[in-house]
Amino acid sequence: VMRAVAVASRASCLLGMMLLSTCGAVRVVAHRTAYAAQVTPRRGFRASHVTMKLKTAIVGMPNVGKSTLFNALTETQGAMAANYPFCTIEPNVGMVEVPDPRLKVLALINSSVKVLPATLEFVDIAGLVKGASTGEGLGNQFLANIRECDAITHVVRCFEDPNVIHVDGSVDPARDAEVINLELIFADLAQVEKRMERCARDKKTDPGEKVVLERIKDHLELGLPARKLLPGLSKEDRVWADRLQLLTAKDMIYAANVPDTDLASGNELVRKLEVVAALEGATVIVVSAQVESELIELSQEEREEFLESLGVTLEDCGLRRLVRASYDQLGLRTYFTSGPTETRAWTIKGGWTAPQAAGVIHGDFERGFIRAETIGYDDLVRCGSEKAAKDAGLARSEGKEYIVAEGDVLLFRFNVWALRISDASCVPGPGCNRSAVRGP
C-alpha cells in the first residue's frame, strides 16, 4: 500500500510539473512541502555568472627567489625555499589580497564593521631550465601547470651572491629571461604543430583554422611570443588561436629580484632586464624577495621603519606594486559595496555590465537584476556620505546596459520572484552584504 501511495504521489508531482510548464507564470502555495514563489519557466536560460578565480603563475629559473617571493606574497612559509635546484616540484597555490587604500576610506565613511579586499590567486611553479619544452628537469609537467594559469609573473635574478647557486654558473638577466621565453615558445610550437597534424588528417577542418595555425607557427619560429600577434587577429581568427591555450599568449610581468640595498633604485642588472622587457612591451617591477619575507615577521610600525631605511614606503614597495600590476594585467576592475556591516571590493572583468557585476555576488542577482544605484568613488568621498551625494545629484540609477566603471560604489536592486525556486529561501544568503543587494 505504501509503495502504491508513493507511486501515486510521484505521478501527481509529475503531472503538477507538466501543468506548471504549460501554464506559464503560476502561483504556488507556500509550505514546507511546496514552493513559495511566482515563477516563469526559463527553458535554456544561462546566466553569465562566474567566480573571478584567475590565477597568476610565478615562473623563472631555479634559485631566483620564486618560492621566497611566493611566501612573502601569501605571508606564509608554504613553499619550500632552498639553495638547490628543483626544491619545488608540486605547485604551491595561495590567495593574495589586492592592496587598495580606497577600502579604508569607504569603511570610515560608512562605519563598516568589516573590510574585505579583492584577492588574486598566485601559483608557485617549479624552476624551468633549458630544454624544459622537451622534458628536461620535469619541464613538461611544469609547463602544464603554467598552461592552467591566466597570466605569468617571470621572476629574474638581479643580484650577485656566491652563496646562492646559479644553474648556469653566472648571473645574466637577459640570458636567463631568454631561456625561459624560448622554452615557452618551443612548447607553443609543439602545440601548434600537433594541431596542424590533426587538421591535415581531418578533411572537415575549417580552412580558416589552417591559415591561423600557419600564421602563428611562422610568428613563433621568429622567436616572438604569441601575445604580440594575437591583437592583430580578427575576432573569428582569435577563436582558433584561443583554443590552443598558448603559453606565450599569456600576459607577462617581469619581477626583478634585487638585494635590499637596490630596492629603491634598482641596479645595472635590472637595466639589462628592462631592455628585454621594452622589446616585448612588458613591465618590470623591482622587488626584493628576501626583504619581503623578512617583513612578514614585523609589526606594521616596524615594517614602515624598515622600509623607510631602504628608501621606499609600504604602499610603493615592490610586492604591493607587483600585486597591483598583476591585477591590471589580467584586465580586472574593482567595484565596491559598502555599508555598516562591511565594505567589500568585488572583482570583475573590464567592460562588464551591471547585471554581470551583480552575478559575481550571486548568480541569481544577475537573473533578477532590476537596477544598480551607483555613486562614483571620488564623488562619494568628496561629498562625505551617500545622503550628501544623493542630495548633490551624484547618485544614479543604472539599468542592464550600464558598463560598470572602476571604483563604482553599487547597491543592486533585484526581483525576488525572478529567482530559481530552489534558491528563493537563500536570498540574500549567508555572508551576503545586505547593504549591497536589496529586493524591491
Side-chain angles (χ1 to χ4, degrees):
V1 171
M2 291 175 65
R3 184 176 299 174
V5 171
V7 170
S9 176
R10 192 172 302 172
S12 177
C13 289
L14 179 61
L15 178 61
M17 292 173 64
M18 292 173 64
L19 288 172
L20 286 176
S21 65
T22 56
C23 293
V26 297
R27 186 168 184 137
V28 187
V29 179
H31 193 271
R32 288 188 65 85
T33 57
Y35 298 106
Q38 188 172 358
V39 297
T40 303
R42 300 177 309 280
R43 185 173 298 176
F45 178 89
R46 294 183 63 187
S48 57
H49 165 63
V50 297
T51 54
M52 297 301 297
K53 284 193 174 180
L54 299 177
K55 298 189 288 188
T56 296
I58 301 177
V59 307
M61 299 187 75
N63 289 1
V64 297
K66 298 184 306 301
S67 296
T68 304
L69 182 65
F70 174 84
N71 289 337
L73 278 167
T74 57
E75 296 193 0
T76 66
Q77 294 299 322
M80 183 178 180
N83 187 21
Y84 57 84
F86 307 115
C87 65
T88 300
I89 300 297
E90 294 299 324
N92 301 295
V93 181
M95 299 301 295
V96 179
E97 293 183 356
V98 179
D100 194 330
R102 296 175 294 182
L103 282 168
K104 289 184 179 179
V105 177
L106 290 174
L108 186 62
I109 290 174
N110 290 297
S111 302
S112 302
V113 177
K114 294 188 296 182
V115 176
L116 300 174
T119 57
L120 274 181
E121 189 171 343
F122 280 83
V123 183
D124 175 30
I125 308 291
L128 299 173
V129 295
K130 190 173 183 179
S133 59
T134 58
E136 186 70 24
L138 297 178
N140 289 331
Q141 175 184 335
F142 302 158
L143 292 171
N145 293 331
I146 300 173
R147 204 175 297 280
E148 296 173 358
C149 296
D150 303 282
I152 297 173
T153 294
H154 185 172
V155 182
V156 181
R157 178 172 171 175
C158 293
F159 65 89
E160 298 277 3
D161 188 342
N163 296 319
V164 179
I165 300 168
H166 192 291
V167 292
D168 287 336
S170 63
V171 178
D172 185 340
R175 178 203 61 205
D176 294 349
E178 184 181 25
V179 167
I180 301 299
N181 291 337
L182 284 177
E183 291 305 321
L184 299 180
I185 288 173
F186 292 151
D188 283 349
L189 266 173
Q191 182 88 345
V192 171
E193 290 170 351
K194 184 177 180 180
R195 179 58 189 167
M196 291 177 75
E197 290 174 3
R198 290 183 180 177
C199 290
R201 293 193 300 267
D202 187 356
K203 296 181 180 180
K204 296 182 180 180
T205 300
D206 191 306
E209 181 179 5
K210 294 182 179 180
V211 173
V212 173
L213 290 172
E214 285 289 349
R215 285 188 64 183
I216 295 175
K217 181 174 179 291
D218 293 342
H219 182 82
L220 293 172
E221 286 178 341
L222 294 174
L224 300 173
R227 58 181 166 272
K228 299 197 72 173
L229 172 68
L230 298 187
L233 298 179
S234 66
K235 188 176 295 186
E236 294 76 13
D237 290 347
R238 186 65 183 263
V239 173
W240 301 119
D242 289 344
R243 290 181 179 179
L244 296 169
Q245 292 185 302
L246 299 175
L247 298 173
T248 60
K250 304 178 189 297
D251 290 324
M252 180 181 287
I253 292 175
Y254 286 101
N257 190 12
V258 301
D260 56 359
T261 54
D262 298 328
L263 182 57
S265 57
N267 54 33
E268 288 304 314
L269 295 175
V270 174
R271 313 282 183 267
K272 292 182 179 180
L273 180 60
E274 287 174 340
V275 172
V276 175
L279 295 174
E280 299 178 11
T283 303
V284 176
I285 303 293
V286 178
V287 300
S288 177
Q290 190 58 44
V291 168
E292 300 290 356
S293 64
E294 293 174 3
L295 290 177
I296 298 174
E297 302 175 1
L298 301 179
S299 66
Q300 182 76 6
E301 185 177 345
E302 290 172 330
R303 290 182 184 188
E304 292 177 357
E305 290 179 2
F306 181 43
L307 290 173
E308 185 179 353
S309 69
L310 298 176
V312 294
T313 64
L314 187 60
E315 288 299 324
D316 293 325
C317 74
L319 203 60
R320 294 199 171 205
R321 289 180 57 215
L322 178 61
V323 174
R324 287 197 296 264
S326 300
Y327 194 78
D328 293 338
Q329 179 191 51
L330 290 166
L332 303 179
R333 300 290 181 268
T334 301
Y335 76 86
F336 303 100
T337 57
S338 185
T341 303
E342 69 178 34
T343 290
R344 182 164 182 167
W346 298 92
T347 301
I348 60 172
K349 276 282 191 180
W352 275 22
T353 62
Q356 289 175 307
V360 174
I361 300 176
H362 194 293
D364 285 335
F365 299 154
E366 177 180 0
R367 180 178 296 107
F369 178 88
I370 296 176
R371 65 183 183 275
E373 295 180 7
T374 308
I375 304 175
Y377 170 81
D378 292 334
D379 292 335
L380 181 57
V381 172
R382 187 166 55 252
C383 293
S385 70
E386 180 180 338
K387 183 179 183 304
K390 288 181 178 179
D391 292 342
L394 297 174
R396 311 183 308 275
S397 181
E398 303 288 359
K400 294 183 177 181
E401 302 302 319
Y402 176 66
I403 303 298
V404 176
E406 171 65 29
D408 273 351
V409 182
L410 302 177
L411 185 147
F412 295 109
R413 300 284 186 177
F414 63 94
N415 182 2
V416 177
W417 305 118
L419 305 181
R420 291 194 302 266
I421 293 177
S422 60
D423 291 344
S425 62
C426 301
V427 178
C432 178
N433 181 6
R434 289 178 181 271
S435 66
V437 285
R438 296 178 187 167

